[in-house]
Amino acid sequence: MKAIFTKTAGLSDRPFHYCPGCTHGIIHRLIGELLEEMNLIEHTIGVAPVGCSGFCENYFTCDMIGAAHGRAVAVATGAKRARPDRFIFTYQGDGDGASIGLAETMSAAARGEKITSIFVNNCIYGMTGGQMAPTSLVGQKTSTSPYGRDAATMGYPLDLPKVLTQIEGAVYVASVSVDSPQAIKDAKKVLRKAFQVQLDGLGYSFVSILSTCPTNWGVNPVEALEWLQTKMKPHFALGELKVPATEGGSEA
Amino acid sequence: MALLMKGNEAIAEAAIQAGCRLFYGYPITPSTEIPEYMAKKMKAVGGTYLQAESEIAAIYMVYGAGAVGERVMTGTSSPGFSLMQEGLSFLFAAEIPCVIVDVMRGGPGLGGLGPTQADYFQLTKGGGHGDYHAIVLAPFSVQEMVDLTKEAFDLADYYRNLVIIAADGILGQMMEPVEFPPVAGRKLEPKTWAASGAEGRPKNNVLSYYLTPELGEAENLRWGEKMSRIKETEQRFVEYEMEDADYAFVAFGTSSRITETAVDMLREEGIKVGLYRPVTLWPFPEKGLTARLNQIKGWMSIELSAGQMVDDVKLVVNGKAPVGFYGRQGGMTPEPEEVAAAFKAQLLGGE
Amino acid sequence: MSSALTKYKFAGFGGQGVLFIGKVMAQAGMLSKQQVTWFPAYGPEMRGGTAHCSVVISTKRIGSPTVGKPDIAIVMNEASYHKFIDSVVPGGTLYVNSSMVPELPGREDIRIVRVSVNEIAHEMGEEKVANIVMLGVMQAITPTVADDVLEKALMELAGKKPELAALNARAFKAGQEYAKNLC
């Protein structure tokens, strides 16, 4: 019998702990597939964040280091400088990469650190139970913005990939989603490019992936995808925002 | 052949000789010569110096490099050391070997740049969260900065524990003759636990969390057992004029140098006094001090702080003799005469 | 070798080479098999252009490397003169660069040696070695190490370029010669 679909060697057999309708699982799978397809599993050191995806070392079959909240990029920098021959990626949420770890993200980008950051943005703090994130939308109700995010006092969502395009050392910046089969295919293409940028030693590569959190948004999985499509997408720049000069992009 | 070298530079050179090829740091007075020396010298040995965006980033770069199994170091001074505290707790829990230098300066706050020993509590009692300890080594000369730095890397690897070298502005900035004799070093196991890429072996995770309280307690007990082992085997101290002493000072680092002069002055007056110098601040060298308890009629801790180590002295002396204290703060150092006078006032009833 | 322990202070503004002559002195002490320490002013003390360092040379182990009360001090500019004149121990010696320090109220209980080292160095064709001239003066009047040892130390620290080594050696000799005429 011909096998038409198998699990990827990039992921373990351990069942995900993620909530129904959460897209972390899809993103994990894309990364696992790429590690396998690009023959990277044994040459990779992944850095796990603090947050819902803080246990992702249980799923990826490469070596993993668990960082402190916000410090994944610094940990990855330390590891990459120690082992430049290794493929190093960070997996981070919006709080990790765009709030508590913002200085680390920007500085690693500025240094052109040859690592890849995968930034999963769901506009909310999932692990701690639905508090406001740096990417929460204006008006969005969370447990720490119970009357909705008020721009006058709580400011605006930070579109981190858009900001990163302004930094010379960030040579590949993309912002994608995994809300449809086509979007998932596109996300994989983008991730592959980001990985290749690191393998080619070009600089910092960063992929933002819009993601869902039905549990903390208080909606069902289908509604969550609709919320992502109708509410989130208009607020964040999407697509390949910056590509290396070799692809006709701006000189990095 | 001895060289005249600054303490900070001597530490950096000793680290390179100990096989450290990675240094991550953020410049801060009075420890800046450490990153400067590394920036200059690492290239020639194929190593890496990287200037981090902050001490927070620096300590986590150390975490990353240590987690993949390489010898790594950072160096800082008190405010920067404060910024690193969360990282120290994580390094302990993940059992990542590394060496950290704290060249202490005045505090609290931005404080001043003069020498102090006011980070003692932070160094020895765990400035970060949770039940943890770093091994803390306190050199008192530039030569000892070299010897203890080399030792520090071995201790870190041997116990899979962070090791801190506690210096101060004077030790960091001063020059003294120094030699770099070859060191045999400890026999160390290969770092099979490291997350260095799972080539031809099952994957490794280097983590600092546990999912259940049961696991958490088991881990803490295991670490506690390691701490007990270090306490048992790694206490270090040096005694000066203690054999026939009736009274004893306790002092480390720069204050021990000043106190040594005070001991000489008091001995010239016929007062039998000695100096007990802790070389490990953690583990505090209780054993040697305990061995002198029946002999010594009074103890006195001399520190460049408001009095921190004196608490540990009191715990060991446990009421068997009076324990005095004299210190200067904010970057000031006492003259030996002051130390002698304070001793007479507190322990000899003002003779 | 008059005493078992000698404390020095070398002071001036940045660029006058006071840290350097302190290092030469410490190196000479080390070559003489004595204990030595060298300790610079650092941080904000260095701002505003003043620089100074402390050197201790001793037959015994040295306690603090900081020097509050020097036995011997060199002051290369007026600000340093004001800062350190009162700190010299009674019976001590203060060397004053009179090219930079005008006649000022002094002290009766210390020896004050005034030498226009900038002029001497200028006559040699290089004003930058005024510090070395002063080192020569000091060595002639209050030596704590042998002449050849101090010269050796000077060559070890400054002698990488032959012409520079020769210039330093000449400056050192010029200082010694000048001082002999003072005595």
Side-chain angles (χ1 to χ4, degrees), chain A residues 57 60 63 66 78 86 111, chain B residues 63 196 199 201 203-204 209:
Chain A
E57 76 282 345
F60 295 118
D63 275 7
R86 294 310 193 204
R111 285 192 304 267
Chain B
Y63 183 98
S196 55
E199 258 176 305
R201 60 156 170 78
K203 70 168 254 159
N204 284 335
Y209 74 82

Side-chain angles (χ1 to χ4, degrees), chain A residues 13-234:
Chain A
D13 290 334
R14 191 150 163 171
F16 291 138
H17 69 282
Y18 300 112
C19 304
C22 166
T23 44
H24 270 311
I26 296 169
I27 301 164
H28 281 22
R29 168 138 194 132
L30 295 181
I31 294 168
E33 285 176 358
L34 286 169
L35 292 178
E36 182 185 10
E37 289 165 20
M38 298 172 84
N39 198 24
L40 287 172
I41 297 171
E42 292 192 335
H43 310 283
T44 295
I45 303 165
V47 181
V50 170
C52 281
S53 52
F55 313 114
C56 66
E57 76 282 345
N58 291 318
Y59 312 126
F60 295 118
T61 51
C62 57
D63 275 7
M64 295 288 294
I65 304 171
H69 194 30
R71 314 296 165 229
V73 172
V75 170
T77 298
K80 183 72 178 188
R81 297 296 182 119
R83 290 299 300 267
D85 60 318
R86 294 310 193 204
F87 177 78
I88 313 259
F89 74 90
T90 69
Y91 191 104
Q92 298 171 269
D94 42 52
D96 207 87
S99 183
I100 191 168
L102 187 60
E104 280 78 2
T105 305
M106 301 298 262
S107 302
R111 285 192 304 267
E113 216 56 67
K114 293 170 187 63
I115 57 175
T116 304
S117 290
I118 295 137
F119 174 78
V120 180
N121 174 11
N122 59 12
C123 295
I124 203 153
Y125 281 13
M127 182 68 163
T128 43
Q131 294 78 28
M132 191 177 77
T135 51
S136 289
L137 306 178
V138 172
Q140 187 181 336
K141 285 183 180 171
T142 72
S143 68
T144 51
S145 58
Y147 309 107
R149 183 174 189 165
D150 172 15
T153 57
M154 304 171 197
Y156 300 89
L158 180 65
D159 194 353
L160 182 58
K162 199 168 154 187
V163 175
L164 284 170
T165 60
Q166 303 303 305
I167 297 177
E168 202 166 332
V171 298
Y172 184 76
V173 182
S175 180
V176 295
S177 170
V178 286
D179 59 300
S180 70
Q182 188 55 48
I184 293 168
K185 280 187 186 170
D186 292 345
K188 188 171 176 182
K189 268 186 215 163
V190 156
L191 282 167
R192 186 189 299 273
K193 274 195 193 176
F195 284 20
Q196 195 60 46
V197 160
Q198 179 183 166
L199 295 173
D200 293 343
L202 300 180
Y204 186 56
S205 53
F206 181 96
V207 177
S208 168
I209 303 177
L210 300 186
S211 188
T212 55
C213 186
T215 301
N216 288 301
W217 291 352
V219 294
N220 69 37
V222 175
E223 290 166 345
L225 287 173
E226 283 166 15
W227 198 86
L228 185 154
Q229 287 156 353
T230 57
K231 303 278 198 234
M232 279 174 77
K233 280 189 172 178

Side-chain angles (χ1 to χ4, degrees), chain C residues 111 113 115 120 137 140-141 173-183:
Chain C
R111 181 171 181 191
V113 180
V115 184
I120 297 172
V137 171
I141 297 171
K173 284 273 185 282
Q176 282 181 305
E177 289 305 314
Y178 183 88
K180 275 174 195 159
N181 299 331
L182 282 178
C183 295

Side-chain angles (χ1 to χ4, degrees), chain B residues 27-47:
Chain B
I28 179 169
T29 308
S31 62
T32 312
E33 291 82 2
I34 302 175
E36 283 175 345
Y37 191 91
M38 291 300 197
K40 199 170 168 186
K41 300 280 180 171
M42 272 299 193
K43 207 172 176 149
V45 295

